[in-house]
Amino acid sequence: MQPPRSKTEALEAVPVPLPGVQAATTESGLVRISYPAALKPWLTRLLPATLSRPQRTLELDAMGSRVWNLIDGQATVRDIARQVASHYACHPAEAEQAVALFVRQLGQRGILGLL
């Protein structure tokens, strides 16, 4: 999965959870994500291959939970942004920017990748 090169490519990319990522819905309806912690390459070489990576947890807010639930492996970032704009009655460009930033941040944490 290579990072998109332009805004158009980024909006047409399809976000997908990476292997090892698990999501659950809390009693309050928010999404809680558990994902493998990123390790420095030198530390990875020191640890035995049989040792599992530590897990991190991230609980999303209401908007993040809504976006997460729209990620189905088929919808593009633009598709998701359109649904967010419709739900929150905001300008489509604002929704595109917010969703793209959210996807980028989850990508930096090793939670999402782009197809």
Side-chain angles (χ1 to χ4, degrees):
M1 289 182 233
Q2 295 180 342
R5 294 188 191 105
S6 71
K7 179 180 176 181
T8 301
E9 288 175 334
L11 293 173
E12 293 305 318
V14 176
V16 293
L18 292 176
V21 173
Q22 298 176 347
T25 304
T26 65
E27 290 180 18
S28 60
L30 300 177
V31 173
R32 183 175 294 136
I33 300 171
S34 175
Y35 61 101
L39 299 176
K40 301 286 183 188
W42 64 268
L43 185 57
T44 305
R45 288 191 298 270
L46 295 176
L47 294 175
T50 57
L51 186 64
S52 62
R53 288 171 46 186
Q55 293 285 306
R56 294 201 183 263
T57 303
L58 175 66
E59 188 165 320
L60 303 176
D61 62 8
M63 186 178 204
S65 294
R66 173 168 288 282
V67 171
W68 180 267
N69 288 326
L70 293 172
I71 295 173
D72 62 3
Q74 296 180 358
T76 65
V77 172
R78 184 179 315 243
D79 296 335
I80 294 168
R82 283 184 186 134
Q83 292 184 51
V84 167
S86 174
H87 180 77
Y88 290 102
C90 65
H91 194 276
E94 291 175 312
E96 285 179 356
Q97 184 177 13
V99 171
L101 178 61
F102 177 76
V103 168
R104 185 178 316 121
Q105 289 173 338
L106 292 187
Q108 290 171 342
R109 290 179 182 240
I111 297 172
L112 287 179
L114 296 174
L115 299 178

